[in-house]
Amino acid sequence: MNAGIIGQAAGLFAVTNIDDIVILALFFAQGTGHLRIVLGQYIGFAGILVVAVAAAFGATFLPASAVPYLGLIPLALGLKAAWQVWRDRAGGGDDDPPARGGGPKALEVAAVTFANGGDNIGVYVPVFATSGTSGMAVYVIVFLILVAVWCLAGRFFATRPLIARALSRWGHILLPLVLIGLGAVLLVEGGAFGL
């Protein structure tokens, strides 16, 4: 393996996925279910890679005009989470059903990861297409290794005392806001619905 390609792959991954650390920290701060978060991150990122590799070989599963609409996924999940926060605060009584514990489900994490990485596909495709099959394999392997590093970083940030206190106090509010904001940015920047 060429060290230059490994370095380029690591740099490309870091630049295109820096925002995932914040989202992962918010997910990890929700409590248990850490394996589901890691699994969901891998499923979502594997989806990104499958689409990018296929597109590099000439297949187009996702037309460019559809990518901005991926913003509807985190928007919907954010609105759902906001509704749960509002419902839990509005009820306030002992008769309320217990709040959903255990953190997010793997498919929720995967959906947010895929939607957030939809724009990454546009960056990865030309890089993959020009790097050849062996170079593309190096990129994919490095990316998959770095997904684990990103999960560890998200978990690390979620467990730092100062950050953990802030996330335990405000995370249930921040997560819906971040997801709604992410969805809105993806929709607006992509020009979805003529925005």
Side-chain angles (χ1 to χ4, degrees):
M1 277 201 227
N2 181 346
I5 278 190
I6 293 172
Q8 290 171 353
L12 181 62
F13 181 88
V15 167
T16 57
N17 292 289
I18 196 71
D19 52 340
D20 279 350
I21 291 177
V22 173
I23 294 169
L24 283 167
L26 287 167
F27 280 144
F28 280 118
Q30 290 187 346
T32 60
H34 297 169
L35 183 59
R36 289 192 307 263
I37 295 168
V38 172
L39 179 62
Q41 185 72 8
Y42 267 102
I43 291 169
F45 202 80
I48 292 167
L49 289 176
V50 165
V51 172
V53 167
F57 284 120
T60 54
F61 295 116
L62 201 60
S65 61
V67 171
Y69 294 96
L70 291 175
L72 292 171
I73 297 170
L75 182 65
L77 290 172
L79 289 172
K80 176 185 171 196
W83 171 254
Q84 288 174 337
V85 168
W86 181 81
R87 190 181 66 210
D88 290 346
R89 289 201 179 235
D94 291 340
D95 297 333
D96 293 337
R100 185 185 79 161
K105 296 176 183 162
L107 290 180
E108 291 173 342
V109 175
V112 169
T113 301
F114 187 80
N116 189 33
D119 57 337
N120 295 3
I121 294 169
V123 175
Y124 297 162
V125 171
V127 173
F128 289 178
T130 58
S131 64
T133 305
S134 61
M136 190 182 323
V138 172
Y139 274 95
V140 168
I141 290 167
V142 170
F143 283 7
L144 291 175
I145 291 168
L146 289 176
V147 167
V149 172
W150 247 234
C151 288
L152 289 170
R155 174 78 174 114
F156 174 81
F157 287 121
T159 58
R160 296 306 88 203
L162 182 63
I163 296 171
R165 279 193 300 275
L167 291 178
S168 71
R169 183 171 180 169
W170 300 104
H172 66 287
I173 295 170
L174 286 175
L175 181 64
L177 290 176
V178 167
L179 293 176
I180 291 167
L182 172 64
V185 166
L186 291 172
L187 290 168
V188 171
E189 285 185 356
F193 304 113
L195 299 173

